[in-house]
């Protein structure tokens, strides 16, 4: 079995590369989107707040697979044709933005009201207040849950299989359909997902226990 | 003593010098929270260099009134003038520019200090100068050092605020506000979170500041401070000014029954 695994590994690792690239790009676009949503959700402007909450609720309410289908199969009807890679990034980034907005929001709200009032009473404008006072403090509360969330994003890239994205699960399926060793190859693929996820989770725990005392 | 008292009362009345407007004027400041009136039409003139102490029971609206002066609370209606000029056109709808301008002129010190915990003491005092006044980092840090030394904390410059005692943190907060060269300073129960000894350090700094001629509005439960340092004591209850005058008068011979009742309760303890 192990000989087979070693033989399959190059194919699976190229799939893994795609999975990681999609994960990275989705986070790169999705996290700023989540922060933007968070600011929108705590905005004092009612229309902005309500619009943002609606978008976020939709983003969290619609299953990621459905979003993938809309972007990949649906958008071409509107003249927007994306390759599977780009479609996966767009869909997962949107999903990430919606889900992480809650993490960002909690982080922003964890900054004591008094610090914000102090910043205002000193005459700092809105952007300086966010940049120098709120975000640096909020970041401490935000980073560990965001890293945990990035594990979920990594695992969610396996849904890209459904739009023919050549990612890790897809590579495993290709190998299985040639060798008919589905059990073996899917176990290996699962172990690769798990290995990376566990490494990141351990890392998060380590940061957590380091910053908490 | 009597001379001094007369001077103070005259200064407090502020009507003798007609050509010069009081530095700070509150006109009919009204504040409602969800239909509850917290401040009912408060008017007050404060002259440059005057130290006004606000005393009264909890819930009297003292802190709310103070917070209206730099618009941390937005009044429902009324006018706020500095040097005779209105600061905000529509009381309940301040623009960003109006808020910036107002807050440049008014500094504030809070009960809970509110130092920024993620940066050093020196940066706490220097950062606002750089962002608000556009001073260079070097210039801002020199000024910060000067002020920290003045409040006796030059040696704490590189420490995080959490490594300082409450009294030290409050003195740093005072330095931070002074660094922006305000014309008026607001103190919202600056010693309420401190034990008496540490509170004493803060009161000493405030007394020194008063002596330099800074205009100060102080909400306080420290009756002895109000009595010794203020030029005028304002007694508030139920969202109104019940009585005001020279501290000797308010404490020594209160006119209103409500004032007497309050002073008896706090001074007998």
């Amino acid at each position: 079995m192990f000989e087979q695994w070693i033989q399959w590994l190059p194919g699976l690792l190229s799939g893994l590369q795609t999975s990681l690239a999609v994960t990275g790009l989705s986070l790169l676009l999705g996290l700023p989107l989540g922060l933007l949503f968070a600011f929108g959700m705590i905005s004092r402007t009612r229309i902005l707040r309500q619009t943002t909450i609606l978008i976020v609720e939709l983003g969290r309410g619609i299953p990621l697979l459905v979003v993938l289908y809309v972007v990949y199969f649906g958008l071409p009807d509107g003249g927007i044709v994306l390759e599977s890679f780009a479609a996966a990034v767009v869909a997962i980034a949107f999903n990430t933005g919606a889900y992480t907005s809650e993490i960002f929001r909690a982080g922003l709200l964890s900054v004591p009201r008094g610090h914000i009032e102090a910043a205002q009473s000193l005459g700092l404008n809105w952007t300086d207040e966010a940049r120098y006072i709120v975000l640096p403090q909020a970041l401490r509360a935000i980073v560990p849950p965001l890293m945990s969330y990035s594990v979920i994003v990594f695992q969610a890239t396996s849904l890209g299989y459904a739009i023919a994205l050549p990612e890790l699960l897809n590579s495993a399926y290709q190998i299985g359909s040639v060798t008919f060793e589905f059990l073996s190859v899917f176990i290996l693929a699962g172990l690769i997902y798990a290995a990376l996820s566990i490494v990141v989770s351990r890392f998060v725990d380590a940061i957590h226990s380091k910053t908490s005392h | 003593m009597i001379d001094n008292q007369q001077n103070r009362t005259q200064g407090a009345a502020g009507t003798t010098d007609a050509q010069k407007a009081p530095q700070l004027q509150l006109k009919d400041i009204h504040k409602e929270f969800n239909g509850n009136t917290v401040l009912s039409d408060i008017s007050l003139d404060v002259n440059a260099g005057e130290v006004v102490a606000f005393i009264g029971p909890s819930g009297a609206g003292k802190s709310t009134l103070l917070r209206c002066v730099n618009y941390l609370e937005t009044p429902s209606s009324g006018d706020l003038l500095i040097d005779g000029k209105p600061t905000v056109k529509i009381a309940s709808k301040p623009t960003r520019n109006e808020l910036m301008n107002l807050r440049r002129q008014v500094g504030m010190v809070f009960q809970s200090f509110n130092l920024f915990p993620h940066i050093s003491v020196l940066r706490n005092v220097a950062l606002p100068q750089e962002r608000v006044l556009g001073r260079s980092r070097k210039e801002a840090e020199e000024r910060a050092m000067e002020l920290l030394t003045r409040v006796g904390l030059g040696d704490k410059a590189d420490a995080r605020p959490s490594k300082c005692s409450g009294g030290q943190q409050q003195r740093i907060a005072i330095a931070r506000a002074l660094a922006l060269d305000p014309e008026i300073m607001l103190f919202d129960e600056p010693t309420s979170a401190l034990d008496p000894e540490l509170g004493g350090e803060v009161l000493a700094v405030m007394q020194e500041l008063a002596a330099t001629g800074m205009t100060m509005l102080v909400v306080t439960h420290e009756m002895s401070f109000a009595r010794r340092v203020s030029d005028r004591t304002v007694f508030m209850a139920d969202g109104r000014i019940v009585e005001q005058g020279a501290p000797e008068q308010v404490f020594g011979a209160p006119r209103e029954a409500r004032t007497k009742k309050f002073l008896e309760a706090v001074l007998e303890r």
Side-chain angles (χ1 to χ4, degrees), chain B residues 29-100:
Chain B
I29 296 287
H30 193 84
K31 174 73 185 171
E32 283 182 16
F33 280 119
N34 310 321
N36 291 329
T37 301
V38 197
L39 295 174
S40 35
D41 303 320
I42 293 200
S43 296
L44 187 76
D45 288 356
V46 180
N47 290 316
E50 209 182 348
V51 177
V52 182
F54 294 82
I55 61 168
S58 313
K62 310 178 297 286
S63 288
T64 308
L65 180 65
L66 199 72
R67 290 160 58 86
C68 282
V69 175
N70 71 350
Y71 263 75
L72 281 184
E73 287 312 337
T74 306
S76 312
S77 64
D79 289 305
L80 177 66
L81 290 80
I82 292 181
D83 297 327
K85 291 190 263 314
T87 52
V88 173
K89 275 209 184 75
I90 305 165
S92 58
K93 288 203 162 59
T95 68
R96 258 180 215 183
N97 272 342
E98 287 172 338
L99 288 182
M100 292 289 147

Side-chain angles (χ1 to χ4, degrees), chain A residues 57-191:
Chain A
E57 289 296 334
L58 285 176
R60 286 149 52 110
I62 304 173
L64 177 54
L65 188 55
V66 177
V67 180
L68 275 168
Y69 275 9
V70 167
V71 173
Y72 187 67
F73 296 116
L75 287 189
D77 291 350
I80 303 169
V81 183
L82 295 177
E83 285 179 53
S84 62
F85 185 89
V89 168
V90 167
I92 297 174
F94 174 59
N95 189 262
T96 301
Y99 270 97
T100 56
S101 64
E102 197 53 45
I103 298 173
F104 281 113
R105 194 180 75 100
L108 294 176
L109 293 181
S110 75
V111 177
R113 179 88 204 128
H115 295 176
I116 294 163
E117 288 190 345
Q120 288 173 349
S121 77
L122 291 165
L124 291 181
N125 62 31
W126 189 84
T127 43
D128 281 351
E129 177 190 317
R131 182 173 156 202
Y132 293 102
I133 310 304
V134 177
L135 286 177
Q137 292 194 67
L139 227 51
R140 278 158 215 224
I142 288 173
V143 167
L146 279 190
M147 291 186 69
S148 301
Y149 192 79
S150 67
V151 171
I152 296 175
V153 172
F154 170 58
Q155 294 179 351
T157 58
S158 63
L159 288 172
Y161 166 74
I163 56 167
L165 178 72
E167 43 66 63
L168 176 54
L169 179 64
N170 202 337
S171 313
Y173 186 81
Q174 302 299 335
I175 292 169
S177 61
V178 175
T179 62
F180 294 101
E181 302 271 5
F182 281 109
L183 180 64
S184 179
V185 74
F186 282 144
I187 286 177
L188 178 55
L191 287 176

